[in-house]
Amino acid sequence: MSSQSEQTITRDNLLQTPEQELGSSKPKQFSPANVRKLGLTRKTRDRRDDHNPEERARKHKELELKPLYKELLYTITHRMGKPSSAEVFTESQLHQYIQEAFTMTEAEHRSLMERVHGTEPPVYCLMATVKEAKEILGKDISGFSDPYCLLTIMEDEEESRTRRSKAKPSKSIVKDVVSNDKIYESEIKKQTLNPIWNQTFILEFRDIAGASFHLEMWDKDEELSLTQKLEDIKTNFSSLKRMIKDAKKEKGQDDFLGKVVLKLQDLHCTEDNWYNLEPRTETYPNRGKCHLNLKFIHKARDGTLSAGRSAYINYCGILQQFVEAYISKQKSSAPWKGALCGEAQTLLEFYASQNDLSPFLQDLAKWVAYSKLYQSLEVDSSVLFQQLTSVEYHWRQQELPHQQKQELGDSLHGFLQYGLCLVAKYRDIFPPTPSATPKLHTLLRILVQICKTQAFQKLNPAQFELHDEVSDAIQDLAEIVNALSRLIGEVQEDIKHNKDVWNRVFLSAVQVDVFTVVYKRFDSLIAKEVRKTLSLLQGQMEQALANTLFPVYLSLQAIHKDKAFLKTRGSLELTNFQEDFRDALPYWLNQAFSRTQERVERAVQVDQLQPLQSGAVPIKHSTSAVDLVACIQPICHLWEQLSWPDPEEAFMLMVKLTEDVCKIVVNYCHTLKERVRVLSENSDPGSAINMLCVVVNDLEHLRSVLNRLPTQLNWAGLRDRTQNVIGESQFHNTLPSQLQQAQSVLGREIRSALDTLGKKLNTDIETQVRNMSTRKRLPSKSTEDAAAPLMRYLEQELQYMNENLVQENFNSLLTPLWNNSVKILYQVATQHPQQGGLMVFCQRLLYTLQCLEQCFLAEGNGLPEKTLHSDEYMALKAHLTHNSLSSCQLIEKFLERKIQEQNVNTSEKYGAVTLLASYSRSDQRLRVEVLNAVNLLPMDSNGLSDPFVQLCLEPNHVFQEVETRCTRTKSRDLNPLFEEAFEFLVSLDQCRAPGACLVLTVLDHDTLMTDDFEGEAFLALKGLPGVARDMKGDELSLQPEVTPAQIRLPLIHPKHNDDSILALLESRRGEQEAQAYVKKRRQREKQSQEGIQP
């Protein structure tokens, strides 16, 4: 039916995109409203073809043709039996035919042959159905028999054994020669000469050459009582002879009725015949006939050939390919009448037989294939009539599987739908010519035949009257609407001429307002025609009809706007014409959405994700982002075109349009992600990052598009129109929330893309940091040289990101990148084993951290200090700072921390000590006078203590030459008065050294045991009189005697294992000074009562 497909009317374009306006619209078959009842039980499938014909053909060959080709090669290789046609084809002829029919090259043919030869062969079987027998011998006394059949296949060895045993007077071949497991036995039919079995047996064999099928029919004899035999004689004296003969044979021995022996090589692949029952001897040569159905089939056929598809599906594909190949070779333009070449018929017969496809399934496949071909090629209608008749015959005889039932129903339904579409356009497709009119008649007869079939009536339960459907179809609604559109166009042009030209002439000459007169007359005329036409469309609206109505609506809109020029208006009938188009409105919106969505998808498919423009004024997003703005514009224009008058309905219309725009934006995000994934598969990492930057910019560009949407759609004007019908809260909770949801999706996608960028950079940063801090290279490079590669990498990458990302996204990238850099440094720092090289290692990491901070600060143009100095940063800096110090520096830090703790402590729960202290620069002497101690803890059993004070200058590496001093012991006193002075010869620089302090330890003297710890106090030397202020030489000589400062120091107890510096010192096993100091402090912690419950 090529003429039918060529003349099919294309769907009118509505809300055309620029490509479609240039003529690239895709023609679609018109689907009239009269097929609505057919659609009650089925859904139309929407198929989108690949836009690349070559790629589509390649996929079709790989996924469809090659599996079918392998099935045919397998069928030829393992064929059995003779075809029903008289012409016999060799294996090479069959190969050559399928190679041409499937357009396979020689290389493809050889490759697929090798695959087929590597598959497992099937199990060869003969499926034998014993249907019935007639006119067999009566072996019982009653004149009847109790027949049953034995079936088997004898191969070469068994046949030769049978020939050797011919001299023996045995009636049985099957029982004596073949083992019992190879013999199949039918049911026993009692007392009949015309038994009916309808039993099927599957007999396996190894090789068809030399093998033969054997069927023996026997009469089952059972031992009867003497009374029964006498009764038989009385009723039928003629049975006496049979009774005497029966008495001569052995008890229980069955009687031989006849046999059928067939060589497998002589059989067709399918046989259905009556066969004579042959005798063993010349006695009773006429023994009746047996009806057999024989078919060669495969068991355990290799399932990898066509990816697990069913044999029926493969048969349909093979049939369609053969038919298309046959029609393409025809030289004449005459319709195809169902003929196929001998090779095709032979292969189809072999394939159907080997896969045990029933005649019903074969005829169903032919109907499905031929009805599809009818829609694209010239197919004679008699072919369809023949297949419909066959399907209906089989439908009455047997049941179809559920899947094939569904397929048959879909096929009948689809052909009816297609036929009614042709009928709807009968004027164009079937012009009144001698050749076209019979085609219309035949088409209608086929539609009638389909509706009469039981299959259609069973599978399509919806009420369907062909007469009514054809009547509706010939009322071409689209043509009626087009006629209305032409009429309105002529009226619109006439009104325009009257308004712009003729009205001035009439007014100036005779003072007649011709425009008003003509407008009102046309207003009434058009209103009636519009209502009359649209009333015909009620309940039958669909996309094609809605498309044809849109130009009508726009023309009416233009006419309606001209009412502003009327001198006297009065009541106009076209005032509320929009109400008549409510049914078409959803289709217009859907058309605008679907076409915009398709255009956006095409834009993304051709987008290479490169910035549009670089240079002084860069455009950092790609082509698809620009196209998206252009694609959304028609939807906004549709809102202006509609100018819907009803405020409440206009609000709902705006909600729908906003929702569609948001959907397009969200779908664009997902499509763009897939596009960058496809392009990144075969690109280098640098290009992938560049494309990801462009994607981030595209999504950021979308944000600005969505932000402009309320202005483009004039939400403010809509709010003014709807303030009396739509509440303020409802308005703002609906439209802005839709935008908010789309914006949140964009935000998530942008963050996801930035996270991907950050992960890539973080991986590279971690690699650089680990390379920089490798312990084996610690001595070989300076700290600056080791950190240089990382800083160069960061400067290069951040500069690129700054140039190729919009500023908002660049700033969004910096914060997580900084946090992850700090995290990486912390992980690397804490994973280092506590052993040699740790100090240099941490010094290098600390320097790196400082460089990173300066890099991200960017002289005030990067991240603010508040963001940089996070809790993680401060913890890392403290960790690296401590680990970068020597043991002496750590001890100094520890003492400074203790001095700070002493200064903030005001509690005297462990007592306090009072002293006078000053430093004399002239003689470089530190003078300390211990005055007293108060409120000491009772350490002895008598509730008192024997206290003394130990004075020690620390750190030890600064005051190596200074000895520890002690006061006298005061017995049994908790508030002892000491009044003892001590002098220490130390320099001013020593007093000002980091951590320099006087440690006063109050102890309880025990004679036999270790002195008990009362508490300790730390006095910083740098704050003492004589140390704090700088003086020159002359001032120093003239300095009066320094007045000592009286100081009261609360005693403190150290907390257990609470100091990280001590833990760090403790880890330095190889340093004796550090270990000795830690040991002394751990001893004090053991003696401490801090944290102990009273």
Side-chain angles (χ1 to χ4, degrees):
M1 300 291 292
S2 57
S3 60
Q4 298 169 8
S5 61
E6 291 169 0
Q7 298 180 48
T8 300
I9 302 302
T10 59
R11 183 181 297 185
D12 291 338
N13 289 330
L14 174 65
L15 309 178
Q16 293 176 338
T17 56
E19 292 92 336
Q20 292 165 330
E21 290 172 358
L22 293 174
S24 61
S25 60
K26 181 179 178 181
K28 296 184 180 178
Q29 184 173 289
F30 173 74
S31 178
N34 47 59
V35 298
R36 183 175 304 277
K37 292 181 181 178
L38 283 172
L40 293 177
T41 56
R42 306 182 188 282
K43 294 182 179 179
T44 305
R45 297 177 182 175
D46 182 21
R47 297 180 179 177
R48 294 186 179 180
D49 292 333
D50 195 341
H51 294 289
N52 187 344
E54 294 181 359
E55 179 66 15
R56 184 168 67 247
R58 186 191 66 80
K59 287 183 178 179
H60 177 68
K61 193 169 192 178
E62 287 293 329
L63 302 179
E64 299 294 334
L65 298 187
K66 285 189 176 181
L68 298 178
Y69 196 81
K70 287 187 289 184
E71 287 283 351
L72 287 174
L73 290 176
Y74 193 87
T75 300
I76 296 170
T77 303
H78 303 289
R79 67 187 187 279
M80 300 175 292
K82 297 186 294 185
S84 57
S85 62
E87 191 175 3
V88 178
F89 300 96
T90 63
E91 184 172 318
S92 61
Q93 288 175 318
L94 296 177
H95 283 169
Q96 182 180 358
Y97 170 72
I98 63 173
Q99 189 175 346
E100 293 175 358
F102 282 77
T103 63
M104 293 290 173
T105 63
E106 188 62 33
E108 289 173 330
H109 174 75
R110 286 196 300 268
S111 174
L112 295 175
M113 277 293 294
E114 290 177 3
R115 294 189 195 177
V116 170
H117 287 156
T119 58
E120 291 291 328
V123 177
Y124 300 127
C125 301
L126 178 68
M127 188 171 72
T129 301
V130 184
K131 291 188 171 182
E132 57 182 322
K134 62 183 179 180
E135 300 173 1
I136 64 175
L137 296 179
K139 289 288 188 175
D140 294 342
I141 298 173
S142 60
F144 295 97
S145 292
D146 303 325
Y148 68 94
C149 298
L150 298 177
L151 299 87
T152 190
I153 289 181
M154 293 186 183
E155 303 193 48
D156 287 340
E157 182 180 347
E158 293 159 346
E159 287 284 346
S160 60
R161 197 184 315 157
T162 303
R163 286 194 294 269
R164 290 196 301 269
S165 62
K166 272 187 177 181
K168 301 179 182 180
S170 173
K171 292 184 178 181
S172 173
I173 293 178
V174 173
K175 291 182 178 179
D176 297 340
V177 178
V178 182
S179 58
N180 291 334
D181 60 338
K182 294 184 179 180
I183 299 174
Y184 297 86
E185 183 175 340
S186 71
E187 296 175 352
I188 301 171
K189 298 300 178 181
K190 298 288 187 179
Q191 296 298 294
T192 180
L193 299 180
N194 299 290
I196 298 175
W197 284 283
N198 285 323
Q199 282 187 265
T200 300
F201 306 91
I202 297 178
L203 293 78
E204 299 179 6
F205 58 92
R206 291 187 298 274
D207 188 3
I208 196 171
S212 60
F213 168 74
H214 285 253
L215 178 143
E216 292 183 356
M217 191 178 298
W218 294 81
D219 168 45
K220 187 69 175 179
D221 280 347
E222 297 179 358
E223 196 171 346
L224 300 176
S225 65
L226 181 59
T227 305
Q228 289 175 315
K229 292 181 180 180
L230 291 174
E231 187 65 30
D232 287 340
I233 293 172
K234 290 178 183 179
T235 56
N236 189 1
F237 186 76
S238 63
S239 63
L240 180 60
K241 184 178 179 181
R242 287 195 186 93
M243 180 178 174
I244 295 172
K245 184 177 180 181
D246 184 56
K248 292 181 179 180
K249 69 178 183 181
E250 299 178 7
K251 292 182 179 180
Q253 182 177 357
D254 297 340
D255 292 314
F256 180 76
L257 296 177
K259 65 177 181 178
V260 177
V261 179
L262 303 171
K263 289 186 177 181
L264 298 190
Q265 284 182 324
D266 297 335
L267 295 178
H268 293 87
C269 55
T270 301
E271 296 266 2
D272 193 336
N273 292 316
W274 285 90
Y275 296 94
N276 291 326
L277 291 171
E278 301 294 337
R280 290 281 295 173
T281 63
E282 295 301 325
T283 309
Y284 304 115
N286 186 10
R287 292 175 172 261
K289 295 183 177 181
C290 184
H291 188 187
L292 299 176
N293 181 281
L294 304 174
K295 182 192 293 186
F296 288 109
I297 66 169
H298 286 168
K299 280 174 60 177
R301 188 180 174 95
D302 195 301
T304 62
L305 298 170
S306 54
R309 289 185 295 190
S310 69
Y312 169 75
I313 298 297
N314 290 334
Y315 184 87
C316 293
I318 293 168
L319 174 64
Q320 186 161 343
Q321 190 66 24
F322 284 171
V323 174
E324 291 177 356
Y326 182 87
I327 295 177
S328 65
K329 286 186 177 182
Q330 279 188 314
K331 297 180 179 179
S332 65
S333 59
W336 179 65
K337 296 186 177 182
L340 285 175
C341 63
E343 294 93 335
Q345 294 178 8
T346 298
L347 288 169
L348 288 170
E349 186 177 2
F350 279 144
Y351 187 82
S353 170
Q354 292 174 11
N355 290 277
D356 192 22
L357 289 179
S358 67
F360 195 178
L361 289 179
Q362 295 178 50
D363 284 329
L364 172 60
K366 290 176 182 177
W367 160 256
V368 172
Y370 298 167
S371 61
K372 287 180 180 177
L373 290 171
Y374 182 85
Q375 301 180 31
S376 58
L377 301 173
E378 286 283 352
V379 177
D380 193 274
S381 56
S382 61
V383 177
L384 296 181
F385 274 119
Q386 180 182 350
Q387 293 309 129
L388 266 179
T389 305
S390 298
V391 168
E392 181 67 6
Y393 168 77
H394 290 302
W395 179 270
R396 298 172 184 269
Q397 301 298 320
Q398 64 183 91
E399 187 78 8
L400 266 182
H402 173 75
Q403 185 175 357
Q404 277 67 50
K405 274 187 182 179
Q406 185 70 22
E407 183 176 14
L408 176 58
D410 288 343
S411 177
L412 296 174
H413 164 270
F415 191 85
L416 266 177
Q417 186 176 14
Y418 173 75
L420 288 172
C421 290
L422 298 182
V423 171
K425 295 295 179 182
Y426 71 95
R427 295 180 180 87
D428 300 321
I429 298 175
F430 304 104
T433 61
S435 59
T437 305
K439 292 181 181 179
L440 174 61
H441 183 259
T442 303
L443 173 64
L444 293 173
R445 286 183 57 208
I446 294 174
L447 299 183
V448 171
Q449 186 68 19
I450 289 176
C451 294
K452 286 182 178 180
T453 59
Q454 288 187 3
F456 177 77
Q457 295 171 7
K458 179 73 174 178
L459 298 174
N460 289 274
Q463 293 297 325
F464 182 81
E465 293 294 337
L466 182 62
H467 180 274
D468 297 339
E469 296 297 323
V470 172
S471 299
D472 292 342
I474 59 179
Q475 298 179 24
D476 194 342
L477 299 178
E479 183 60 34
I480 295 173
V481 173
N482 289 332
L484 177 64
S485 179
R486 290 191 294 270
L487 172 64
I488 294 175
E490 294 175 2
V491 169
Q492 184 181 0
E493 185 178 2
D494 190 82
I495 289 176
K496 184 177 184 301
H497 291 328
N498 276 281
K499 177 171 68 72
D500 297 338
V501 181
W502 295 325
N503 197 50
R504 289 196 302 269
V505 176
F506 277 89
L507 278 175
S508 62
V510 292
Q511 291 78 44
V512 174
D513 185 5
V514 69
F515 168 72
T516 302
V517 174
V518 171
Y519 186 93
K520 289 186 175 180
R521 187 182 63 184
F522 280 150
D523 172 74
S524 175
L525 171 66
I526 294 298
K528 291 178 181 178
E529 287 296 326
V530 168
R531 294 191 185 98
K532 177 182 176 182
T533 301
L534 294 182
S535 65
L536 297 175
L537 306 182
Q538 287 185 356
Q540 303 189 58
M541 187 62 65
E542 56 153 26
Q543 191 65 60
L545 283 176
N547 292 350
T548 58
L549 282 173
F550 191 69
V552 175
Y553 181 87
L554 294 181
S555 298
L556 291 174
Q557 191 82 277
I559 293 174
H560 186 61
K561 287 180 181 178
D562 284 339
K563 72 178 182 180
F565 298 96
L566 294 174
K567 298 295 182 181
T568 57
R569 296 187 184 180
S571 61
L572 297 175
E573 296 188 35
L574 278 178
T575 300
N576 296 317
F577 75 92
Q578 292 92 345
E579 296 179 358
D580 297 323
F581 291 86
R582 278 200 184 96
D583 291 345
L585 184 58
Y587 293 93
W588 297 343
L589 299 178
N590 177 68
Q591 181 83 347
F593 171 77
S594 59
R595 287 190 172 176
T596 304
Q597 181 64 36
E598 289 174 3
R599 184 180 170 188
V600 169
E601 290 176 358
R602 289 197 300 271
V604 175
Q605 287 173 1
V606 299
D607 193 353
Q608 296 303 314
L609 299 181
Q610 298 296 328
L612 274 176
Q613 181 178 324
S614 58
V617 185
I619 300 177
K620 299 181 178 181
H621 46 264
S622 64
T623 57
S624 63
V626 178
D627 289 339
L628 178 64
V629 178
C631 292
I632 292 176
Q633 192 58 39
I635 294 182
C636 300
H637 183 55
L638 176 62
W639 166 254
E640 299 174 2
Q641 287 179 308
L642 292 175
S643 299
W644 204 259
D646 185 270
E648 189 171 2
E649 293 180 356
F651 173 73
M652 300 306 298
L653 179 59
M654 178 64 76
V655 171
K656 173 62 177 170
L657 290 173
T658 306
E659 179 186 353
D660 287 348
V661 172
C662 293
K663 279 183 181 179
I664 290 170
V665 169
V666 171
N667 291 338
Y668 173 79
C669 293
H670 300 325
T671 310
L672 199 62
K673 283 176 63 178
E674 178 62 20
R675 179 64 177 168
V676 74
R677 185 191 67 78
V678 172
L679 292 179
S680 300
E681 286 179 350
N682 299 319
S683 60
D684 58 277
S687 300
I689 289 181
N690 297 346
M691 287 188 286
L692 202 56
C693 289
V694 174
V695 168
V696 173
N697 294 334
D698 287 346
L699 299 182
E700 190 63 43
H701 183 64
L702 255 69
R703 278 184 172 178
S704 63
V705 172
L706 287 181
N707 289 335
R708 295 195 300 268
L709 191 63
T711 304
Q712 288 180 301
L713 292 176
N714 192 17
W715 284 8
L718 179 65
R719 180 69 200 117
D720 294 338
R721 289 176 55 198
T722 59
Q723 59 184 352
N724 295 328
V725 291
I726 303 295
E728 185 78 19
S729 60
Q730 181 182 356
F731 188 93
H732 290 289
N733 289 339
T734 305
L735 293 175
S737 67
Q738 290 178 317
L739 277 188
Q740 233 173 21
Q741 291 175 4
Q743 292 278 24
S744 64
V745 172
L746 282 175
R748 285 197 303 271
E749 296 298 340
I750 290 174
R751 288 193 297 272
S752 174
L754 290 176
D755 287 346
T756 304
L757 280 173
K759 287 177 183 177
K760 174 65 175 64
L761 294 175
N762 289 332
T763 302
D764 294 342
I765 291 173
E766 183 174 2
T767 303
Q768 296 279 359
V769 169
R770 293 191 182 279
N771 291 339
M772 175 201 70
S773 57
T774 302
R775 294 192 306 278
K776 293 180 180 179
R777 296 191 292 179
L778 285 177
S780 63
K781 282 188 176 182
S782 66
T783 300
E784 292 80 1
D785 292 340
L790 170 63
M791 301 314 301
R792 283 196 300 269
Y793 170 79
L794 264 181
E795 289 175 4
Q796 178 183 352
E797 292 298 325
L798 292 181
Q799 181 182 0
Y800 177 83
M801 297 295 176
N802 190 26
E803 292 174 355
N804 291 276
L805 285 176
V806 294
Q807 194 61 41
E808 296 86 350
N809 291 327
F810 179 69
N811 294 338
S812 300
L813 177 65
L814 282 181
T815 300
L817 189 61
W818 163 255
N819 292 333
N820 280 294
S821 299
V822 171
K823 183 179 178 181
I824 290 168
L825 284 173
Y826 189 83
Q827 290 174 348
V828 172
T830 53
Q831 288 171 359
H832 192 283
Q834 305 294 330
Q835 56 186 16
L838 176 62
M839 184 174 67
V840 179
F841 173 78
C842 290
Q843 288 172 351
R844 186 168 289 180
L845 291 183
L846 181 61
Y847 175 78
T848 304
L849 179 63
Q850 293 167 350
C851 292
L852 286 174
E853 183 179 359
Q854 294 303 315
C855 179
F856 280 87
L857 188 61
E859 299 179 352
N861 297 319
L863 294 177
E865 284 192 2
K866 184 177 180 182
T867 303
L868 292 173
H869 294 170
S870 61
D871 293 341
E872 292 80 5
Y873 166 82
M874 301 304 294
L876 172 63
K877 186 174 181 180
H879 176 82
L880 294 178
T881 301
H882 289 161
N883 283 276
S884 300
L885 300 176
S886 65
S887 296
C888 293
Q889 290 173 319
L890 285 174
I891 293 174
E892 292 169 1
K893 288 286 183 184
F894 173 78
L895 292 172
E896 288 176 351
R897 186 180 293 178
K898 298 302 288 186
I899 292 170
Q900 178 66 22
E901 182 183 350
Q902 182 72 59
N903 293 337
V904 299
N905 182 49
T906 58
S907 172
E908 296 185 358
K909 66 177 182 177
Y910 301 115
V913 61
T914 305
L915 66 153
L916 294 172
S918 65
Y919 179 74
S920 174
R921 298 189 181 188
S922 59
D923 55 1
Q924 295 187 342
R925 290 182 183 274
L926 174 66
R927 188 175 186 281
V928 180
E929 182 179 357
V930 181
L931 298 178
N932 64 355
V934 296
N935 302 325
L936 299 179
L937 297 177
M939 305 301 292
D940 296 338
S941 58
N942 57 8
L944 300 172
S945 293
D946 303 323
F948 70 94
V949 179
Q950 187 182 79
L951 293 87
C952 178
L953 290 177
E954 292 190 2
N956 187 55
H957 61 270
V958 175
F959 302 99
Q960 293 181 0
E961 304 298 329
V962 181
E963 296 182 354
T964 301
R965 309 288 185 87
C966 295
T967 65
R968 292 187 296 275
T969 302
K970 301 295 182 178
S971 300
R972 296 188 298 279
D973 194 350
L974 298 180
N975 298 283
L977 182 65
F978 295 105
E979 295 183 342
E980 295 185 46
F982 303 91
E983 289 186 351
F984 300 91
L985 185 61
V986 293
S987 67
L988 182 62
D989 291 338
Q990 286 178 303
C991 293
R992 289 181 172 178
C997 64
L998 174 65
V999 181
L1000 299 98
T1001 307
V1002 180
L1003 300 169
D1004 170 48
H1005 177 71
D1006 284 336
T1007 304
L1008 300 178
M1009 301 177 63
T1010 305
D1011 296 337
D1012 294 322
F1013 178 67
E1014 288 275 2
E1016 62 184 356
F1018 296 83
L1019 177 63
L1021 298 184
K1022 64 181 180 180
L1024 293 180
V1027 179
R1029 190 166 63 89
D1030 289 330
M1031 291 178 288
K1032 297 181 180 179
D1034 294 339
E1035 293 178 356
L1036 187 61
S1037 60
L1038 298 175
Q1039 178 195 11
E1041 190 68 22
V1042 178
T1043 303
Q1046 181 172 328
I1047 304 170
R1048 183 184 178 96
L1049 297 173
L1051 297 178
I1052 59 177
H1053 281 216
K1055 295 179 181 179
H1056 295 272
N1057 299 319
D1058 189 47
D1059 199 285
S1060 58
I1061 295 179
L1062 285 181
L1064 183 57
L1065 285 170
E1066 192 172 21
S1067 66
R1068 299 182 178 183
R1069 302 294 183 187
E1071 300 184 24
Q1072 294 181 358
E1073 183 180 355
Q1075 296 302 313
Y1077 189 78
V1078 171
K1079 183 178 180 181
K1080 182 175 74 171
R1081 294 308 307 170
R1082 294 301 187 202
Q1083 182 65 31
R1084 286 286 179 261
E1085 290 177 1
K1086 290 180 181 178
Q1087 296 173 331
S1088 172
Q1089 297 186 29
E1090 184 69 21
I1092 300 177
Q1093 296 295 332

